[in-house]
Amino acid sequence: MHITVIGSGYVGTTIAACFADLGHDVTAIDIDEEIVETLNDGQSPISEPGLDDLLETHAGNRLEATTSYDAVPESDVTFLAIGTPSNDDGSIDLGALEAAAEATGEAVADKDERHLVVIKSTVTPPSIETVLEPAVHRGAGENENIEVGMNPEFLREGSAVSDFLSPDKLVFGASSEWGTDRLHTVFEPLLEDHDADIVETDPQTASMIKYANNAFLASKISLVNDLGNICKEFDLDAYEVMEAIGLDDRISEQFLRSGVGWGGSCFPKDVNAIIAAAHEEDYDPAVLEATVEVNDRQPERMLELLADHVDLEGARIAVLGLAFKPQTDDIRNSRAIPMIELLKEQGAEIVAYDPVAVDPMQERFPDIEYVSSAADALDGADGTVVVTDWDEFATLDEEFDTMATPVVIDGRRIVQPRDEITYEGLTW
Ligand code: UDX
């Protein structure tokens, strides 16, 4: 099969490389010439385990990158993987995706055979019918042989390639049997040696499945954090409680780690987008609003715990971990951001460390101190807050002895408590 993938960002690059690995011929299309060149050199424009290897193997062979839409009509299916950034009110900005959808329509305007345009980007159900389908058809003019489908993506950062190649489920949103069959053909090589559940549905339901999936997971963590905060008030260990409730199959043991909350490029954006889309329909999504509220509260609770032990005005506070989760340098919506803002408001002197995410955070907060090891951050500090669960924080030990006052507030249950330090877990 020949597949065109429009957009070579995080999702686009991953799926283009993985489709090539499944044996398809892939043309990756992006307006950014630098990205196109990087891909054609067999390198990844983003850092993701396994991606460089796939690109090195397939670039110039089954995978080609270009800025032109010429390959679109020759291909059997086109995936749109263009970013949909958040507007100030939480809704998504469809501008770039709509333009790409129209350009794709234009590219297939004279195509005789039927063509499937699949939306990979996360978009709300109504926007498919009101914005994206019309954009494709506007571009395609008289050609009625074009169908728009939806195939949401459930990749996690740090394991995107393996998540793609061994998914739990595939969601095929199509408006006809032909569209569904075409999506089956795309994923057939993957399903030959991997058993994934397949959900066949319409494009709008497919898009809602993506939002419901992420909203459910974010709400699960916020609920665990809400319960965890109550545990803390009762001097109980939330992890002991969650381990027990995770034994119930209906709850499952996953996503029960309470602490400073969720961040990243998906959960915050998607939860806010579905809230905004619900408001558009005059519906108040009370649980989802509380999900965001509890998440916003966790860094504040961490600061309160710290303030119980340290007078923050002028205190030197070490922030350990800046990435939104381990194994990535992504700081988007990292809980470290509100943590640093709150510490600044209190007049603390901040020294920050992360094994890989110092550079992006330096751009965000140029006026705080950054060091190259956890030991350096702790040296002389009056207290520390642990925001990301990097493995290396689990082995910190004598490094705490160099602190001026060894107060450790752990937001991820990663530090090993020892007698010599004042240790507080956020929910334990
Ligand atoms: C998430 C979804 O898992 C993925 O399916 C979707 O496509 C994109 O969003 P990702 O953002 O890469 O993936 O990270 P994930 O590993 O799911 O973690 C999200 C956040 O939740 C992190 O900040 C993590 O620290 C936090 N988290 C996760 C918890 O606080 N507790 C948990 O138990 C699990």
Side-chain angles (χ1 to χ4, degrees):
M1 230 183 178
H2 182 184
I3 298 175
T4 34
V5 178
I6 317 282
S8 300
Y10 186 80
V11 170
T13 303
T14 306
I15 66 168
C18 288
F19 283 145
D21 202 51
L22 293 179
H24 297 305
D25 289 321
V26 180
T27 310
I29 300 168
D30 200 284
I31 47 169
D32 188 321
E33 283 178 16
E34 216 174 300
I35 290 179
V36 165
E37 213 173 298
T38 308
L39 285 172
N40 283 331
D41 285 345
Q43 286 162 18
S44 171
I46 57 155
S47 152
E48 189 61 39
L51 200 51
D52 271 322
D53 287 347
L54 290 188
L55 289 167
E56 205 184 316
T57 311
H58 300 300
N61 177 11
R62 283 207 289 266
L63 176 72
E64 209 181 321
T66 170
T67 53
S68 139
Y69 276 62
D70 287 354
V72 171
E74 295 154 21
S75 67
D76 300 294
V77 50
T78 302
F79 282 83
L80 295 177
I82 304 278
T84 49
S86 297
N87 292 315
D88 288 344
D89 64 354
S91 64
I92 49 173
D93 177 354
L94 289 164
L97 179 60
E98 185 180 0
E102 186 165 348
T104 303
E106 278 166 20
V108 290
D110 296 326
K111 183 171 174 172
D112 293 330
E113 300 91 56
R114 242 168 137 173
H115 192 84
L116 183 66
V117 180
V118 183
I119 302 164
K120 254 298 175 197
S121 314
T122 302
V123 297
T124 57
S127 61
I128 297 176
E129 249 173 332
T130 57
V131 180
L132 299 168
E133 266 176 347
V136 171
H137 292 303
R138 201 163 54 239
E142 309 279 285
N143 191 345
E144 284 173 9
N145 258 340
I146 318 298
E147 182 176 322
V148 175
M150 172 91 206
N151 170 229
E153 199 47 81
F154 301 95
L155 306 177
R156 286 167 300 174
E157 284 187 37
S159 55
V161 171
S162 60
D163 285 350
F164 182 95
L165 295 172
S166 48
D168 296 334
K169 61 176 178 289
L170 292 169
V171 179
F172 296 164
S175 333
S176 73
E177 217 178 302
W178 172 83
T180 308
D181 285 350
R182 187 131 285 209
L183 282 166
H184 272 280
T185 313
V186 170
F187 287 95
E188 212 164 61
L190 191 157
L191 295 167
E192 272 164 20
D193 22 66
H194 189 84
D195 207 13
D197 284 318
I198 294 178
V199 180
E200 293 177 4
T201 186
D202 58 88
Q204 285 77 9
T205 306
S207 122
M208 192 61 198
I209 289 169
K210 165 79 187 216
Y211 280 108
N213 213 102
N214 277 351
F216 196 97
L217 290 172
S219 302
K220 189 174 183 186
I221 302 169
S222 281
L223 177 58
V224 165
N225 283 337
D226 214 16
L227 292 166
N229 294 340
I230 299 173
C231 288
K232 183 74 182 176
E233 296 297 331
F234 292 162
D235 281 330
L236 298 175
D237 179 351
Y239 279 68
E240 197 183 333
V241 174
M242 294 311 148
E243 198 180 328
I245 70 165
L247 298 173
D248 188 324
D249 284 346
R250 293 168 302 175
I251 294 174
S252 112
E253 62 184 0
Q254 293 192 50
F255 271 62
L256 292 182
R257 291 190 344 267
S258 56
V260 69
W262 39 270
S265 60
C266 286
F267 286 172
K269 179 166 106 69
D270 293 355
V271 175
N272 284 317
I274 201 66
I275 289 174
H279 285 160
E280 283 283 303
E281 307 295 326
D282 288 331
Y283 178 74
D284 260 340
V287 173
L288 293 181
E289 278 164 358
T291 291
V292 175
E293 193 189 319
V294 170
N295 201 50
D296 289 344
R297 207 188 278 163
Q298 292 312 88
E300 292 166 16
R301 284 188 64 89
M302 229 169 139
L303 191 88
E304 282 163 20
L305 279 178
L306 179 64
D308 284 346
H309 300 279
V310 183
D311 181 6
L312 292 174
E313 174 78 50
R316 183 170 170 84
I317 304 298
V319 176
L320 295 188
L322 301 171
F324 88 94
K325 68 174 188 180
Q327 322 310 335
T328 177
D329 64 353
D330 194 343
I331 61 156
R332 279 176 292 175
N333 288 296
S334 166
R335 300 293 76 202
I337 295 172
M339 199 68 240
I340 291 170
E341 276 166 353
L342 288 166
L343 285 167
K344 284 175 75 158
E345 273 167 31
Q346 296 297 316
E349 178 199 322
I350 301 164
V351 51
Y353 166 71
D354 188 284
V356 295
V358 162
D359 285 354
M361 199 56 97
Q362 213 154 15
E363 269 177 45
R364 178 78 173 70
F365 294 108
D367 53 346
I368 65 170
E369 185 183 339
Y370 295 89
V371 288
S372 56
S373 72
D376 286 349
L378 293 172
D379 192 6
D382 299 301
T384 183
V385 284
V386 183
V387 183
T388 315
D389 37 347
W390 284 106
D391 281 347
E392 64 175 271
F393 299 154
T395 54
L396 289 173
D397 187 20
E398 284 164 3
E399 290 84 349
F400 293 117
D401 295 341
T402 62
M403 293 178 74
T405 44
V407 176
V408 180
I409 313 296
D410 191 349
R412 297 288 183 192
R413 202 183 178 89
I414 184 77
V415 169
Q416 303 298 318
R418 56 201 293 261
D419 289 344
E420 296 80 2
I421 61 176
T422 303
Y423 176 88
E424 288 264 17
L426 188 49
T427 58
W428 58 95

